[in-house]
Amino acid sequence: MNTPAYILDEAKFERNLKILADVRRRAGVKILLAQKAFSCFALYPLVAKYLDGTTASGLFEARLAHEEMPGRENHVFNPAFTEQELAEIVKWCDHIVFNSVAQWKRFRAFPGLPSAGLRVNPLYSEVEHEIYNPCAAGSRLGVPRSHIAPEELEGLEGLHFHTMCEQGADVLARTLPHFERQFGDFLPRMKWVNFGGGHHITKKGYDRALLVRTLRDFRRRHPHLEVYLEPGEAIALDAGTLVATVRELIDYGTPIAILDASAECHMPDVLAMPYRPRIVHAGEPAEKPFTYRLGGPTCLAGDVIGDYSFARPLKRGSRLVFEDMAIYSIVKNNTFNGIPLPAIMLKRKDGSLETLREFSYADFKSRLGAI
Ligand SMILES: *Cc1c(COP(=O)(O)O)cnc(C)c1O
């Protein structure tokens, strides 16, 4: 097998889907795949077996769902749609969420407009990292209650909020009272609500009983509403790896392994979030006898994944397996420095390994001009 390569794990992916389908059934809600976290469409038929459809961050993801998950619900949200985009979206989507009253007023009479909702900002979130906090001061995402005149909502069928990131059911339970206190008077005339993503439902230790209880209680208070969740991360959590190979070793006082995988290009959230990815059979620095700093093959000084220790010395050609790389890595990767994109492989339930896609020089060049 050539590296670097992402390996999706069908069995682990399906395990997540089964957990989500169980929540869906017990809570009586609908669950959508947020494609921005995971869009490897080879697995969309499996998603369609367990969930209700997808949500998109804009035109292209909506089209992807239309092509690769036909017949299931196709929702779309964008901070600001254009008229050209709307003309396409009305062909593909059954639900659209507008980010501002200005957008709603501008497009409310658009021919063929699907069921429309408004993203609101309940001004309550427990996300500490500002770049992931849609309720931060000055946020452009969602309309605060004080900026909505009730008569402006005429014709809207849904309300949407997305205020969470990798969080538990307790956070949703604390958020809902804020949402209902501020927007509850609009709910009788709505058909649906969408509580966004950021629900870490498939994470070990997540309190699924509390989620189900919270959702059922909400539905009891508002029995006429269809309730949606649209997690991304929870669907592909821990369902894929990135396999890399050590290209070279150097030591100027700090032993360093230079890999063929790059933090900057192939796991950008390691630097953006930032976080430390787990590596199979590796430990914290000095936990095992041989510690290395792991760096990527780019010119970026900060293209460093972190310091890890191993039971045996790394050698040229040693393989490293980075865990939990199905989410927010494949969809965000790039060819900075002309670094090749990792292949995308799929480990089927029967253990066989399928190559979904390999990339070449043409993929790099074609993004930069006519070829
Ligand atoms: C990011 C996002 C999601 C998915 O979030 P996860 O953290 O991956 O669950 C869902 N809805 C909206 C509007 C988002 O921006």
Side-chain angles (χ1 to χ4, degrees):
M1 192 184 91
N2 291 328
T3 67
Y6 300 105
I7 304 184
L8 306 175
D9 188 318
E10 187 180 29
K12 291 186 173 170
F13 195 78
E14 189 167 35
R15 177 197 154 270
N16 289 340
L17 290 171
K18 286 189 164 143
I19 291 172
L20 292 161
D22 180 60
V23 165
R24 174 187 177 280
R25 185 184 54 78
R26 280 159 55 208
V29 300
K30 290 188 169 181
I31 299 186
L32 310 170
L33 161 69
Q35 295 178 89
K36 77 160 192 243
F38 180 86
S39 321
C40 292
F41 48 87
L43 285 168
Y44 280 19
L46 195 61
V47 175
K49 255 175 77 178
Y50 292 98
L51 305 183
D52 296 283
T54 56
T55 188
S57 317
L59 184 63
F60 286 177
E61 286 183 0
R63 179 171 170 181
L64 184 67
H66 173 75
E67 291 175 358
E68 300 295 336
M69 209 187 289
R72 307 316 303 272
E73 291 191 31
N74 188 345
H75 297 224
V76 66
F77 162 81
N78 189 268
F81 292 104
T82 66
E83 200 161 324
Q84 292 91 316
E85 286 175 340
L86 252 283
E88 304 283 307
I89 279 169
V90 297
K91 294 188 281 183
W92 303 325
C93 294
D94 40 72
H95 292 70
I96 184 167
V97 176
F98 293 109
N99 185 48
S100 61
V101 173
Q103 283 256 305
W104 163 238
K105 284 184 172 164
R106 180 169 154 209
F107 292 123
R108 58 186 301 164
F110 200 91
L113 194 73
S115 181
L118 182 69
R119 177 165 175 173
V120 299
N121 180 352
L123 299 174
Y124 179 85
S125 77
E126 299 184 21
V127 178
E128 268 149 34
H129 199 24
E130 285 286 282
I131 81 161
Y132 297 111
N133 183 5
C135 303
S139 174
R140 73 188 188 294
L141 301 170
V143 193
R145 177 64 180 83
S146 56
H147 286 72
I148 302 174
E151 65 275 11
E152 292 174 327
L153 299 186
E154 186 58 41
L156 274 180
E157 298 188 342
L159 292 182
H160 175 290
F161 70 81
H162 169 74
T163 57
M164 291 169 53
C165 180
E166 298 186 336
Q167 286 168 315
D170 55 321
V171 177
L172 179 65
R174 287 193 291 272
T175 303
L176 280 179
H178 293 266
F179 171 67
E180 288 178 84
R181 196 175 317 124
Q182 297 169 57
F183 302 97
D185 56 330
F186 300 152
L187 291 177
R189 47 179 143 147
M190 296 296 156
K191 293 187 175 157
W192 51 271
V193 288
N194 185 323
F195 298 158
H199 314 278
H200 232 182
I201 301 168
T202 51
K203 177 95 173 169
K204 197 164 178 273
Y206 183 96
D207 191 345
R208 293 194 277 269
L210 175 61
L211 176 66
V212 169
R213 216 161 49 240
T214 303
L215 294 170
R216 288 178 68 97
D217 287 348
F218 181 89
R219 288 185 53 237
R220 208 167 294 125
R221 293 192 295 279
H222 309 280
H224 70 293
L225 290 175
E226 189 80 71
V227 177
Y228 289 94
L229 302 181
E230 47 178 30
E233 182 149 345
I235 287 166
L237 191 71
D238 259 321
T241 58
L242 173 61
V243 183
T245 302
V246 174
R247 282 189 165 192
E248 199 56 85
L249 293 145
I250 51 180
D251 187 349
Y252 311 124
T254 303
I256 297 173
I258 300 175
L259 312 180
D260 58 2
S262 157
E264 174 71 9
C265 301
H266 306 146
M267 33 188 149
D269 275 353
V270 166
L271 304 180
M273 211 146 177
Y275 78 100
R276 175 186 166 87
R278 283 173 285 123
I279 300 178
V280 177
H281 300 316
E284 294 296 314
E287 185 185 332
K288 297 177 189 233
F290 302 96
T291 296
Y292 297 85
R293 178 156 299 166
L294 304 179
T298 70
C299 70
L300 178 73
D303 190 1
V304 168
I305 299 141
D307 295 352
Y308 293 83
S309 65
F310 300 87
R312 284 190 293 278
L314 294 181
K315 295 203 276 284
R316 248 182 242 148
S318 296
R319 286 274 162 99
L320 299 179
V321 179
F322 293 90
E323 296 192 71
D324 197 16
M325 284 295 160
I327 41 168
Y328 291 107
S329 290
I330 306 174
V331 289
K332 287 182 104 176
N333 63 16
N334 64 76
T335 58
F336 183 52
N337 278 215
I339 301 294
L341 293 170
I344 304 174
M345 322 273 290
L346 175 58
K347 190 175 146 214
R348 288 287 184 191
K349 276 188 278 183
D350 63 9
S352 63
L353 200 59
E354 221 170 89
T355 302
L356 296 178
R357 180 80 155 92
E358 286 174 311
F359 299 91
S360 67
Y361 171 67
D363 297 293
F364 164 65
K365 187 177 179 187
S366 64
R367 291 177 57 238
L368 300 167
I371 57 169

